[in-house]
Amino acid sequence: MTDRPVALITGASRGIGLAVARRLAPTHDLLLGGRDADALSRATDLPNATPWPVELTDDRALADATAALSRLDLLVHSAGLAELGTLVGTTADTWRRTLELNVVAVAELTRLTLPLLRAANGHVVLVNSGAGLRANPGWGAYAASKFALRAYADVLRAEEPGLRVTSIHPGRVDTDMQRGIRAQEAGDYEPDRYLTADSVAKAVLAAVEADEDAHVTEVVLRPRPR
């Protein structure tokens, strides 16, 4: 690590998280968070990148991993899961898995790193979803988690005025996660109709690089018809 600002990105082994890491690499030292240590190792071709393998829903492992940090300027929450289904077909286990990763792990990681973020007058970016603004049939558990994540960001922003807190709400994005979603929907995968992960990463970068007098609180991205 150098004297450059330090960014911790969850879900950094692929998709939006990896795209964000690539956009931040020229200006930040990177901690690449994810549960798959092998996948993270393959992403360390980025300059000044260090794998940060941890199971985010394991409270003890998360506490141990964050205790080793000495500086944090930027925290990007990109990890998440989406399990679709009607409300009547969504089991308690699905609700728990979804909320544990999409909400509880976000809250706990932020809580554990708040002293470092406060010291840096830092920035928290939460990669949310269009489902955090509008809930559709079949998306109950996921949308509920993303509405909760939006509320969490709003409260964090109000309670921690020294921090910048940004919610990013993209529409469908060309990622492995989207492939899984389309498989659950039994629909065709049409990447030309989706945002690229890099488009979302550029929105994150714009929020991070905003002038000191500017606080980008919410960004909504939708694919342009093509």
Side-chain angles (χ1 to χ4, degrees):
M1 292 291 180
T2 67
D3 289 333
R4 303 192 315 168
V6 176
L8 168 57
I9 306 152
T10 69
S13 63
R14 60 180 184 166
I16 293 172
L18 180 56
V20 169
R22 293 192 184 284
R23 283 289 165 184
L24 292 173
T27 54
H28 289 70
D29 286 337
L30 305 175
L31 295 169
L32 305 180
R35 62 166 64 119
D36 188 338
D38 290 339
L40 290 175
S41 294
R42 290 193 291 273
T44 54
D45 62 325
L46 295 172
N48 302 303
T50 302
W52 198 73
V54 62
E55 173 52 67
L56 295 174
T57 60
D58 183 332
D59 292 346
R60 178 59 63 85
L62 191 61
D64 290 345
T66 55
L69 302 179
S70 60
R71 175 177 178 177
L72 188 61
D73 300 85
L74 171 62
L75 174 58
V76 180
H77 293 287
S78 185
L81 65 85
E83 295 185 42
L84 309 189
T86 62
L87 293 178
V88 71
T90 301
T91 66
D93 283 345
T94 297
W95 280 98
R96 291 189 185 101
R97 279 194 302 272
T98 302
L99 293 170
E100 279 288 333
L101 182 58
N102 292 3
V103 183
V104 177
V106 169
E108 183 64 357
L109 176 55
T110 307
R111 184 184 72 83
L112 291 169
T113 56
L114 262 178
L116 296 176
L117 289 164
R118 287 169 176 158
N121 292 318
H123 196 161
V124 179
V125 176
L126 303 101
V127 179
N128 199 297
S129 167
L133 301 172
R134 177 181 176 181
N136 292 311
W139 290 73
Y142 182 74
S145 75
K146 293 301 186 178
F147 268 72
L149 189 64
R150 183 185 179 197
Y152 176 81
D154 290 346
V155 175
L156 180 65
R157 193 178 300 114
E159 290 185 354
E160 299 290 337
L163 304 183
R164 294 199 287 187
V165 179
T166 304
S167 289
I168 307 288
H169 294 269
R172 291 185 186 264
V173 185
D174 179 16
T175 61
D176 290 343
M177 182 177 178
Q178 189 64 231
R179 289 184 182 277
I181 288 171
R182 292 301 286 154
Q184 292 178 72
E185 294 175 321
D188 294 334
Y189 193 73
E190 303 172 285
D192 289 345
R193 299 182 62 183
Y194 310 147
L195 293 163
T196 67
D198 191 52
S199 291
V200 182
K202 287 178 182 177
V204 172
L205 184 65
V208 170
E209 292 186 338
D211 289 345
E212 285 298 317
D213 63 336
H215 187 168
V216 180
T217 59
E218 191 169 86
V219 178
V220 179
L221 300 171
R222 293 290 179 270
R224 292 181 63 186
R226 284 185 275 181

